[in-house]
PDB file of all heavy atoms in Angstrom:
ATOM      1  N   ARG G  28    -105.441 120.892   9.152  1.00 94.00           N
ATOM      2  CA  ARG G  28    -104.440 121.865   8.583  1.00 94.00           C
ATOM      3  C   ARG G  28    -103.111 121.726   9.365  1.00 94.00           C
ATOM      4  O   ARG G  28    -103.091 121.082  10.399  1.00 94.00           O
ATOM      5  CB  ARG G  28    -105.062 123.239   8.860  1.00 94.00           C
ATOM      6  CG  ARG G  28    -106.324 123.537   8.173  1.00 94.00           C
ATOM      7  CD  ARG G  28    -106.952 124.853   8.649  1.00 94.00           C
ATOM      8  NE  ARG G  28    -107.255 124.670  10.076  1.00 94.00           N
ATOM      9  CZ  ARG G  28    -107.128 125.677  11.035  1.00 94.00           C
ATOM     10  NH1 ARG G  28    -106.911 126.876  10.505  1.00 94.00           N
ATOM     11  NH2 ARG G  28    -107.399 125.557  12.296  1.00 94.00           N
ATOM     12  N   ARG G  29    -102.131 122.290   8.728  1.00 90.00           N
ATOM     13  CA  ARG G  29    -100.821 122.244   9.327  1.00 90.00           C
ATOM     14  C   ARG G  29    -100.859 122.700  10.800  1.00 90.00           C
ATOM     15  O   ARG G  29    -100.243 122.091  11.717  1.00 90.00           O
ATOM     16  CB  ARG G  29     -99.690 123.080   8.549  1.00 90.00           C
ATOM     17  CG  ARG G  29     -99.384 122.335   7.257  1.00 90.00           C
ATOM     18  CD  ARG G  29     -98.389 123.177   6.470  1.00 90.00           C
ATOM     19  NE  ARG G  29     -97.853 122.432   5.492  1.00 90.00           N
ATOM     20  CZ  ARG G  29     -97.249 122.933   4.345  1.00 90.00           C
ATOM     21  NH1 ARG G  29     -97.174 124.381   4.297  1.00 90.00           N
ATOM     22  NH2 ARG G  29     -96.830 122.207   3.313  1.00 90.00           N
ATOM     23  N   ARG G  30    -101.491 123.801  11.030  1.00 89.00           N
ATOM     24  CA  ARG G  30    -101.657 124.366  12.449  1.00 89.00           C
ATOM     25  C   ARG G  30    -102.327 123.383  13.437  1.00 89.00           C
ATOM     26  O   ARG G  30    -102.055 123.356  14.642  1.00 89.00           O
ATOM     27  CB  ARG G  30    -102.200 125.760  12.469  1.00 89.00           C
ATOM     28  CG  ARG G  30    -103.663 125.811  12.451  1.00 89.00           C
ATOM     29  CD  ARG G  30    -104.185 127.295  12.694  1.00 89.00           C
ATOM     30  NE  ARG G  30    -103.763 128.177  11.725  1.00 89.00           N
ATOM     31  CZ  ARG G  30    -102.762 129.068  11.911  1.00 89.00           C
ATOM     32  NH1 ARG G  30    -102.145 129.287  12.994  1.00 89.00           N
ATOM     33  NH2 ARG G  30    -102.439 129.935  10.862  1.00 89.00           N
ATOM     34  N   ASP G  31    -103.076 122.512  12.897  1.00 87.00           N
ATOM     35  CA  ASP G  31    -103.797 121.542  13.772  1.00 87.00           C
ATOM     36  C   ASP G  31    -102.725 120.400  14.263  1.00 87.00           C
ATOM     37  O   ASP G  31    -102.881 119.947  15.325  1.00 87.00           O
ATOM     38  CB  ASP G  31    -104.961 120.787  13.068  1.00 87.00           C
ATOM     39  CG  ASP G  31    -106.012 121.769  12.620  1.00 87.00           C
ATOM     40  OD1 ASP G  31    -106.153 122.756  13.418  1.00 87.00           O
ATOM     41  OD2 ASP G  31    -106.646 121.538  11.628  1.00 87.00           O
ATOM     42  N   ALA G  32    -101.823 120.135  13.387  1.00 84.00           N
ATOM     43  CA  ALA G  32    -100.788 119.045  13.563  1.00 84.00           C
ATOM     44  C   ALA G  32     -99.662 119.554  14.479  1.00 84.00           C
ATOM     45  O   ALA G  32     -99.163 118.941  15.349  1.00 84.00           O
ATOM     46  CB  ALA G  32    -100.269 118.538  12.453  1.00 84.00           C
ATOM     47  N   VAL G  33     -99.240 120.897  14.291  1.00 84.00           N
ATOM     48  CA  VAL G  33     -98.165 121.458  14.921  1.00 84.00           C
ATOM     49  C   VAL G  33     -98.643 122.786  15.589  1.00 84.00           C
ATOM     50  O   VAL G  33     -98.534 123.809  14.870  1.00 84.00           O
ATOM     51  CB  VAL G  33     -96.878 121.692  13.966  1.00 84.00           C
ATOM     52  CG1 VAL G  33     -95.786 122.205  14.723  1.00 84.00           C
ATOM     53  CG2 VAL G  33     -96.563 120.364  13.309  1.00 84.00           C
ATOM     54  N   THR G  34     -98.976 122.787  16.859  1.00 81.00           N
ATOM     55  CA  THR G  34     -99.704 123.947  17.424  1.00 81.00           C
ATOM     56  C   THR G  34     -98.582 124.959  17.854  1.00 81.00           C
ATOM     57  O   THR G  34     -97.441 124.577  18.228  1.00 81.00           O
ATOM     58  CB  THR G  34    -100.495 123.561  18.490  1.00 81.00           C
ATOM     59  OG1 THR G  34     -99.902 123.008  19.537  1.00 81.00           O
ATOM     60  CG2 THR G  34    -101.724 122.608  17.936  1.00 81.00           C
ATOM     61  N   ASP G  35     -99.002 126.141  17.966  1.00 79.00           N
ATOM     62  CA  ASP G  35     -98.121 127.335  18.606  1.00 79.00           C
ATOM     63  C   ASP G  35     -97.853 126.988  20.195  1.00 79.00           C
ATOM     64  O   ASP G  35     -96.790 127.344  20.571  1.00 79.00           O
ATOM     65  CB  ASP G  35     -98.743 128.561  18.423  1.00 79.00           C
ATOM     66  CG  ASP G  35     -98.853 129.128  17.012  1.00 79.00           C
ATOM     67  OD1 ASP G  35     -98.105 128.607  16.178  1.00 79.00           O
ATOM     68  OD2 ASP G  35     -99.761 130.002  16.836  1.00 79.00           O
ATOM     69  N   THR G  36     -98.814 126.466  20.775  1.00 81.00           N
ATOM     70  CA  THR G  36     -98.772 126.384  22.260  1.00 81.00           C
ATOM     71  C   THR G  36     -98.420 124.889  22.755  1.00 81.00           C
ATOM     72  O   THR G  36     -98.090 124.743  23.917  1.00 81.00           O
ATOM     73  CB  THR G  36    -100.043 126.810  22.886  1.00 81.00           C
ATOM     74  OG1 THR G  36    -101.089 125.972  22.374  1.00 81.00           O
ATOM     75  CG2 THR G  36    -100.342 128.200  22.523  1.00 81.00           C
ATOM     76  N   GLY G  37     -98.347 123.939  21.882  1.00 84.00           N
ATOM     77  CA  GLY G  37     -98.047 122.607  22.233  1.00 84.00           C
ATOM     78  C   GLY G  37     -96.640 122.302  22.596  1.00 84.00           C
ATOM     79  O   GLY G  37     -95.790 123.155  22.925  1.00 84.00           O
ATOM     80  N   GLU G  38     -96.326 121.056  22.317  1.00 88.00           N
ATOM     81  CA  GLU G  38     -94.963 120.599  22.624  1.00 88.00           C
ATOM     82  C   GLU G  38     -93.896 121.206  21.696  1.00 88.00           C
ATOM     83  O   GLU G  38     -92.694 121.232  22.036  1.00 88.00           O
ATOM     84  CB  GLU G  38     -94.870 119.138  22.419  1.00 88.00           C
ATOM     85  CG  GLU G  38     -95.231 118.493  21.121  1.00 88.00           C
ATOM     86  CD  GLU G  38     -95.406 117.044  21.198  1.00 88.00           C
ATOM     87  OE1 GLU G  38     -95.366 116.401  22.192  1.00 88.00           O
ATOM     88  OE2 GLU G  38     -95.567 116.594  20.062  1.00 88.00           O
ATOM     89  N   TRP G  39     -94.346 121.900  20.592  1.00 87.00           N
ATOM     90  CA  TRP G  39     -93.430 122.624  19.658  1.00 87.00           C
ATOM     91  C   TRP G  39     -93.021 123.997  20.258  1.00 87.00           C
ATOM     92  O   TRP G  39     -92.191 124.644  19.718  1.00 87.00           O
ATOM     93  CB  TRP G  39     -93.965 122.652  18.390  1.00 87.00           C
ATOM     94  CG  TRP G  39     -93.897 121.258  17.707  1.00 87.00           C
ATOM     95  CD1 TRP G  39     -94.793 120.368  17.650  1.00 87.00           C
ATOM     96  CD2 TRP G  39     -92.750 120.926  16.840  1.00 87.00           C
ATOM     97  NE1 TRP G  39     -94.300 119.250  16.998  1.00 87.00           N
ATOM     98  CE2 TRP G  39     -93.052 119.505  16.427  1.00 87.00           C
ATOM     99  CE3 TRP G  39     -91.649 121.280  16.442  1.00 87.00           C
ATOM    100  CZ2 TRP G  39     -92.289 118.796  15.685  1.00 87.00           C
ATOM    101  CZ3 TRP G  39     -90.766 120.576  15.652  1.00 87.00           C
ATOM    102  CH2 TRP G  39     -91.001 119.281  15.249  1.00 87.00           C
ATOM    103  N   ARG G  40     -93.788 124.510  21.211  1.00 90.00           N
ATOM    104  CA  ARG G  40     -93.582 125.921  21.678  1.00 90.00           C
ATOM    105  C   ARG G  40     -92.004 126.196  21.998  1.00 90.00           C
ATOM    106  O   ARG G  40     -91.549 127.303  21.553  1.00 90.00           O
ATOM    107  CB  ARG G  40     -94.469 126.189  22.907  1.00 90.00           C
ATOM    108  CG  ARG G  40     -94.321 127.701  23.276  1.00 90.00           C
ATOM    109  CD  ARG G  40     -95.239 127.956  24.373  1.00 90.00           C
ATOM    110  NE  ARG G  40     -95.434 129.338  24.532  1.00 90.00           N
ATOM    111  CZ  ARG G  40     -96.370 129.947  25.081  1.00 90.00           C
ATOM    112  NH1 ARG G  40     -97.457 129.299  25.483  1.00 90.00           N
ATOM    113  NH2 ARG G  40     -96.483 131.292  24.914  1.00 90.00           N
ATOM    114  N   PRO G  41     -91.290 125.404  22.678  1.00 93.00           N
ATOM    115  CA  PRO G  41     -89.914 125.707  22.943  1.00 93.00           C
ATOM    116  C   PRO G  41     -89.041 125.818  21.513  1.00 93.00           C
ATOM    117  O   PRO G  41     -88.188 126.543  21.554  1.00 93.00           O
ATOM    118  CB  PRO G  41     -89.492 124.567  23.790  1.00 93.00           C
ATOM    119  CG  PRO G  41     -90.638 123.915  24.396  1.00 93.00           C
ATOM    120  CD  PRO G  41     -91.794 124.112  23.423  1.00 93.00           C
ATOM    121  N   VAL G  42     -89.541 125.043  20.619  1.00 91.00           N
ATOM    122  CA  VAL G  42     -88.773 125.059  19.352  1.00 91.00           C
ATOM    123  C   VAL G  42     -89.033 126.301  18.725  1.00 91.00           C
ATOM    124  O   VAL G  42     -88.070 127.148  18.216  1.00 91.00           O
ATOM    125  CB  VAL G  42     -89.212 123.865  18.470  1.00 91.00           C
ATOM    126  CG1 VAL G  42     -88.562 124.008  17.082  1.00 91.00           C
ATOM    127  CG2 VAL G  42     -88.885 122.544  19.069  1.00 91.00           C
ATOM    128  N   TRP G  43     -90.345 126.837  18.716  1.00 90.00           N
ATOM    129  CA  TRP G  43     -90.600 128.086  18.047  1.00 90.00           C
ATOM    130  C   TRP G  43     -89.955 129.252  18.799  1.00 90.00           C
ATOM    131  O   TRP G  43     -89.411 130.170  18.174  1.00 90.00           O
ATOM    132  CB  TRP G  43     -92.137 128.364  18.076  1.00 90.00           C
ATOM    133  CG  TRP G  43     -92.953 127.249  17.364  1.00 90.00           C
ATOM    134  CD1 TRP G  43     -94.105 126.835  17.761  1.00 90.00           C
ATOM    135  CD2 TRP G  43     -92.587 126.396  16.208  1.00 90.00           C
ATOM    136  NE1 TRP G  43     -94.600 125.900  16.948  1.00 90.00           N
ATOM    137  CE2 TRP G  43     -93.724 125.551  16.031  1.00 90.00           C
ATOM    138  CE3 TRP G  43     -91.499 126.329  15.376  1.00 90.00           C
ATOM    139  CZ2 TRP G  43     -93.681 124.644  15.013  1.00 90.00           C
ATOM    140  CZ3 TRP G  43     -91.438 125.456  14.339  1.00 90.00           C
ATOM    141  CH2 TRP G  43     -92.642 124.636  14.238  1.00 90.00           C
ATOM    142  N   LYS G  44     -89.897 129.125  20.105  1.00 93.00           N
ATOM    143  CA  LYS G  44     -89.219 130.261  20.908  1.00 93.00           C
ATOM    144  C   LYS G  44     -87.640 130.271  20.569  1.00 93.00           C
ATOM    145  O   LYS G  44     -87.077 131.375  20.507  1.00 93.00           O
ATOM    146  CB  LYS G  44     -89.506 129.938  22.258  1.00 93.00           C
ATOM    147  CG  LYS G  44     -88.912 131.053  23.240  1.00 93.00           C
ATOM    148  CD  LYS G  44     -89.309 130.769  24.809  1.00 93.00           C
ATOM    149  CE  LYS G  44     -88.824 131.923  25.594  1.00 93.00           C
ATOM    150  NZ  LYS G  44     -89.066 131.577  26.961  1.00 93.00           N
ATOM    151  N   ALA G  45     -87.029 129.251  20.499  1.00 95.00           N
ATOM    152  CA  ALA G  45     -85.633 129.109  20.193  1.00 95.00           C
ATOM    153  C   ALA G  45     -85.309 129.566  18.815  1.00 95.00           C
ATOM    154  O   ALA G  45     -84.400 130.338  18.587  1.00 95.00           O
ATOM    155  CB  ALA G  45     -85.095 127.630  20.371  1.00 95.00           C
ATOM    156  N   MET G  46     -86.201 129.114  17.826  1.00 93.00           N
ATOM    157  CA  MET G  46     -85.940 129.656  16.516  1.00 93.00           C
ATOM    158  C   MET G  46     -86.106 131.259  16.368  1.00 93.00           C
ATOM    159  O   MET G  46     -85.375 131.789  15.660  1.00 93.00           O
ATOM    160  CB  MET G  46     -86.869 128.986  15.545  1.00 93.00           C
ATOM    161  CG  MET G  46     -86.598 127.445  15.371  1.00 93.00           C
ATOM    162  SD  MET G  46     -87.612 126.644  14.053  1.00 93.00           S
ATOM    163  CE  MET G  46     -87.133 127.488  12.649  1.00 93.00           C
ATOM    164  N   LYS G  47     -87.093 131.707  17.169  1.00 93.00           N
ATOM    165  CA  LYS G  47     -87.363 133.200  17.160  1.00 93.00           C
ATOM    166  C   LYS G  47     -86.159 133.861  17.616  1.00 93.00           C
ATOM    167  O   LYS G  47     -85.719 134.799  17.045  1.00 93.00           O
ATOM    168  CB  LYS G  47     -88.586 133.592  17.905  1.00 93.00           C
ATOM    169  CG  LYS G  47     -88.942 135.040  17.925  1.00 93.00           C
ATOM    170  CD  LYS G  47     -90.205 135.238  18.696  1.00 93.00           C
ATOM    171  CE  LYS G  47     -90.403 136.755  18.615  1.00 93.00           C
ATOM    172  NZ  LYS G  47     -91.531 137.227  19.497  1.00 93.00           N
ATOM    173  N   GLY G  48     -85.546 133.301  18.705  1.00 96.00           N
ATOM    174  CA  GLY G  48     -84.400 133.941  19.380  1.00 96.00           C
ATOM    175  C   GLY G  48     -83.245 133.983  18.454  1.00 96.00           C
ATOM    176  O   GLY G  48     -82.455 134.968  18.263  1.00 96.00           O
ATOM    177  N   LEU G  49     -82.968 132.846  17.758  1.00 96.00           N
ATOM    178  CA  LEU G  49     -81.863 132.612  16.846  1.00 96.00           C
ATOM    179  C   LEU G  49     -82.124 133.634  15.582  1.00 96.00           C
ATOM    180  O   LEU G  49     -81.072 134.313  15.169  1.00 96.00           O
ATOM    181  CB  LEU G  49     -81.776 131.187  16.290  1.00 96.00           C
ATOM    182  CG  LEU G  49     -81.180 130.253  17.340  1.00 96.00           C
ATOM    183  CD1 LEU G  49     -81.485 128.793  16.776  1.00 96.00           C
ATOM    184  CD2 LEU G  49     -79.836 130.476  17.652  1.00 96.00           C
ATOM    185  N   ALA G  50     -83.325 133.727  15.144  1.00 95.00           N
ATOM    186  CA  ALA G  50     -83.496 134.689  14.007  1.00 95.00           C
ATOM    187  C   ALA G  50     -83.341 136.050  14.322  1.00 95.00           C
ATOM    188  O   ALA G  50     -82.787 136.865  13.493  1.00 95.00           O
ATOM    189  CB  ALA G  50     -84.912 134.397  13.455  1.00 95.00           C
ATOM    190  N   GLU G  51     -83.744 136.441  15.666  1.00 96.00           N
ATOM    191  CA  GLU G  51     -83.468 137.780  15.999  1.00 96.00           C
ATOM    192  C   GLU G  51     -81.915 138.124  16.079  1.00 96.00           C
ATOM    193  O   GLU G  51     -81.572 139.212  15.742  1.00 96.00           O
ATOM    194  CB  GLU G  51     -84.137 138.004  17.523  1.00 96.00           C
ATOM    195  CG  GLU G  51     -85.627 138.049  17.346  1.00 96.00           C
ATOM    196  CD  GLU G  51     -86.253 138.091  18.706  1.00 96.00           C
ATOM    197  OE1 GLU G  51     -85.621 137.961  19.692  1.00 96.00           O
ATOM    198  OE2 GLU G  51     -87.509 138.294  18.683  1.00 96.00           O
ATOM    199  N   GLN G  52     -81.164 137.117  16.328  1.00 97.00           N
ATOM    200  CA  GLN G  52     -79.647 137.268  16.564  1.00 97.00           C
ATOM    201  C   GLN G  52     -78.992 137.140  15.277  1.00 97.00           C
ATOM    202  O   GLN G  52     -78.106 137.983  15.095  1.00 97.00           O
ATOM    203  CB  GLN G  52     -79.170 136.185  17.512  1.00 97.00           C
ATOM    204  CG  GLN G  52     -77.658 136.483  17.804  1.00 97.00           C
ATOM    205  CD  GLN G  52     -77.170 135.637  18.947  1.00 97.00           C
ATOM    206  OE1 GLN G  52     -77.948 134.720  19.510  1.00 97.00           O
ATOM    207  NE2 GLN G  52     -75.883 135.609  19.338  1.00 97.00           N
ATOM    208  N   HIS G  53     -79.397 136.213  14.371  1.00 96.00           N
ATOM    209  CA  HIS G  53     -78.633 135.891  13.229  1.00 96.00           C
ATOM    210  C   HIS G  53     -79.395 136.095  11.953  1.00 96.00           C
ATOM    211  O   HIS G  53     -78.846 135.965  10.757  1.00 96.00           O
ATOM    212  CB  HIS G  53     -78.192 134.403  13.147  1.00 96.00           C
ATOM    213  CG  HIS G  53     -77.479 133.939  14.371  1.00 96.00           C
ATOM    214  ND1 HIS G  53     -76.155 134.328  14.556  1.00 96.00           N
ATOM    215  CD2 HIS G  53     -77.700 133.285  15.379  1.00 96.00           C
ATOM    216  CE1 HIS G  53     -75.737 133.861  15.733  1.00 96.00           C
ATOM    217  NE2 HIS G  53     -76.675 133.131  16.277  1.00 96.00           N
ATOM    218  N   GLY G  54     -80.507 136.670  11.990  1.00 95.00           N
ATOM    219  CA  GLY G  54     -81.445 136.842  10.651  1.00 95.00           C
ATOM    220  C   GLY G  54     -82.230 135.602  10.374  1.00 95.00           C
ATOM    221  O   GLY G  54     -81.848 134.482  10.408  1.00 95.00           O
ATOM    222  N   ASP G  55     -83.374 135.901   9.777  1.00 93.00           N
ATOM    223  CA  ASP G  55     -84.422 134.860   9.391  1.00 93.00           C
ATOM    224  C   ASP G  55     -83.732 133.856   8.407  1.00 93.00           C
ATOM    225  O   ASP G  55     -83.981 132.666   8.514  1.00 93.00           O
ATOM    226  CB  ASP G  55     -85.609 135.486   8.707  1.00 93.00           C
ATOM    227  CG  ASP G  55     -86.563 136.095   9.706  1.00 93.00           C
ATOM    228  OD1 ASP G  55     -86.317 135.872  10.909  1.00 93.00           O
ATOM    229  OD2 ASP G  55     -87.482 136.900   9.323  1.00 93.00           O
ATOM    230  N   ASP G  56     -82.956 134.438   7.399  1.00 92.00           N
ATOM    231  CA  ASP G  56     -82.450 133.523   6.374  1.00 92.00           C
ATOM    232  C   ASP G  56     -81.330 132.659   6.961  1.00 92.00           C
ATOM    233  O   ASP G  56     -80.823 131.749   6.129  1.00 92.00           O
ATOM    234  CB  ASP G  56     -81.924 134.396   5.324  1.00 92.00           C
ATOM    235  CG  ASP G  56     -83.004 134.964   4.483  1.00 92.00           C
ATOM    236  OD1 ASP G  56     -84.201 134.523   4.506  1.00 92.00           O
ATOM    237  OD2 ASP G  56     -82.824 136.102   3.782  1.00 92.00           O
ATOM    238  N   ASN G  57     -80.857 132.668   8.059  1.00 94.00           N
ATOM    239  CA  ASN G  57     -79.657 131.960   8.743  1.00 94.00           C
ATOM    240  C   ASN G  57     -80.125 130.987   9.812  1.00 94.00           C
ATOM    241  O   ASN G  57     -79.376 130.452  10.609  1.00 94.00           O
ATOM    242  CB  ASN G  57     -78.669 132.956   9.308  1.00 94.00           C
ATOM    243  CG  ASN G  57     -78.087 133.753   8.211  1.00 94.00           C
ATOM    244  OD1 ASN G  57     -77.669 133.349   7.136  1.00 94.00           O
ATOM    245  ND2 ASN G  57     -78.033 135.071   8.470  1.00 94.00           N
ATOM    246  N   VAL G  58     -81.470 130.710   9.777  1.00 94.00           N
ATOM    247  CA  VAL G  58     -82.008 129.678  10.903  1.00 94.00           C
ATOM    248  C   VAL G  58     -82.693 128.589  10.036  1.00 94.00           C
ATOM    249  O   VAL G  58     -83.664 128.898   9.119  1.00 94.00           O
ATOM    250  CB  VAL G  58     -82.882 130.472  11.734  1.00 94.00           C
ATOM    251  CG1 VAL G  58     -83.624 129.369  12.806  1.00 94.00           C
ATOM    252  CG2 VAL G  58     -82.297 131.458  12.549  1.00 94.00           C
ATOM    253  N   ARG G  59     -82.523 127.414  10.338  1.00 92.00           N
ATOM    254  CA  ARG G  59     -83.114 126.328   9.636  1.00 92.00           C
ATOM    255  C   ARG G  59     -83.618 125.277  10.710  1.00 92.00           C
ATOM    256  O   ARG G  59     -82.951 125.130  11.823  1.00 92.00           O
ATOM    257  CB  ARG G  59     -82.117 125.434   8.740  1.00 92.00           C
ATOM    258  CG  ARG G  59     -81.583 126.348   7.591  1.00 92.00           C
ATOM    259  CD  ARG G  59     -82.491 126.581   6.502  1.00 92.00           C
ATOM    260  NE  ARG G  59     -82.079 127.338   5.461  1.00 92.00           N
ATOM    261  CZ  ARG G  59     -82.123 128.710   5.336  1.00 92.00           C
ATOM    262  NH1 ARG G  59     -82.669 129.333   6.342  1.00 92.00           N
ATOM    263  NH2 ARG G  59     -81.515 129.315   4.346  1.00 92.00           N
ATOM    264  N   LEU G  60     -84.667 124.619  10.411  1.00 91.00           N
ATOM    265  CA  LEU G  60     -85.149 123.570  11.311  1.00 91.00           C
ATOM    266  C   LEU G  60     -85.142 122.247  10.555  1.00 91.00           C
ATOM    267  O   LEU G  60     -85.704 122.157   9.414  1.00 91.00           O
ATOM    268  CB  LEU G  60     -86.696 123.883  11.767  1.00 91.00           C
ATOM    269  CG  LEU G  60     -87.272 122.742  12.558  1.00 91.00           C
ATOM    270  CD1 LEU G  60     -86.568 122.570  13.930  1.00 91.00           C
ATOM    271  CD2 LEU G  60     -88.795 123.084  12.803  1.00 91.00           C
ATOM    272  N   VAL G  61     -84.378 121.282  11.051  1.00 91.00           N
ATOM    273  CA  VAL G  61     -84.450 119.884  10.397  1.00 91.00           C
ATOM    274  C   VAL G  61     -84.957 118.909  11.491  1.00 91.00           C
ATOM    275  O   VAL G  61     -84.662 118.934  12.613  1.00 91.00           O
ATOM    276  CB  VAL G  61     -82.976 119.489  10.096  1.00 91.00           C
ATOM    277  CG1 VAL G  61     -82.933 118.084   9.504  1.00 91.00           C
ATOM    278  CG2 VAL G  61     -82.366 120.495   9.164  1.00 91.00           C
TER     279      VAL G  61
END
């Protein structure tokens, strides 16, 4: 499943944390991941 390939706790954790912080500051609709 997608969660098996990109885990919450693995090497993507800093990305998820940064995106959460940006969304809190700028709103969910103003954050993109490329």
Side-chain angles (χ1 to χ4, degrees):
R28 300 166 299 149
R29 285 181 172 158
R30 81 172 59 256
D31 299 325
V33 183
T34 65
D35 292 338
T36 58
E38 60 191 9
W39 285 89
R40 186 178 195 152
V42 175
W43 306 143
K44 185 176 179 180
M46 289 184 71
K47 181 179 179 184
L49 289 167
E51 288 170 356
Q52 184 174 1
H53 301 287
D55 289 348
D56 292 338
N57 296 310
V58 179
R59 300 285 180 269
L60 175 65
V61 179

